[in-house]
Amino acid sequence: QVQLVESGGGLVQAGGSLRLSCVASGSISSINAMGWWRQAPGKQRELVASITSGGSTVYAAPEKWRFTISRDNAKNTVSLQMNSLKSEDTAVYYCSAGRYPRPDVYWGQGTQVTVSS
């Protein structure tokens, strides 16, 4: 099993930035891909970005130029830097982990991001 704990969510004004972090613990050797997802009220959970232990990234197209995913393998941490935030970015953001190409086996509890316009 892998445990994931997110941090860094909160309230920010439109145009601002937030950095989310997720620390993985447990059976780390069983994972080589981690991701960030989000779920807005009334909508399905959607992938924001994912990254492999080798550094290969995938982004949802709308976020590619505003969000950056990074990973520190030594610290078992994945981060999501979010810039130029918009009200439509408001959602619960979830960290996930798994083995490529499925970084969605294990899930964190989620962290709320609210962008005020």
Side-chain angles (χ1 to χ4, degrees), residues 97-116:
R99 291 200 67 82
Y100 179 84
R102 293 294 306 272
D104 58 347
V105 175
Y106 303 102
W107 293 91
Q109 81 286 356
T111 185
Q112 177 70 46
V113 171
T114 302
V115 183
S116 62

Side-chain angles (χ1 to χ4, degrees), residues 92-103:
V92 178
Y93 284 70
Y94 296 91
C95 175
S96 72
R99 291 200 67 82
Y100 179 84
R102 293 294 306 272

Side-chain angles (χ1 to χ4, degrees), residues 47-63:
L47 176 68
V48 177
S50 66
I51 186 168
T52 67
S53 56
S56 297
T57 58
V58 172
Y59 288 92
E63 280 69 50

Side-chain angles (χ1 to χ4, degrees), residues 35-112:
W36 284 99
W37 305 66
R38 66 185 181 187
Q39 187 167 19
K43 295 187 177 181
Q44 289 188 330
R45 190 173 299 187
E46 61 181 6
L47 176 68
V48 177
S50 66
I51 186 168
T52 67
S53 56
S56 297
T57 58
V58 172
Y59 288 92
E63 280 69 50
K64 184 176 182 179
W65 308 112
R66 298 187 296 123
F67 294 179
T68 302
I69 190 170
S70 60
R71 181 170 177 167
D72 186 333
N73 292 330
K75 297 181 179 180
N76 301 319
T77 300
V78 62
S79 298
L80 184 69
Q81 177 66 41
M82 305 186 292
N83 300 324
S84 302
L85 285 162
K86 307 174 182 179
S87 57
E88 50 263 45
D89 295 318
T90 294
V92 178
Y93 284 70
Y94 296 91
C95 175
S96 72
R99 291 200 67 82
Y100 179 84
R102 293 294 306 272
D104 58 347
V105 175
Y106 303 102
W107 293 91
Q109 81 286 356
T111 185
Q112 177 70 46

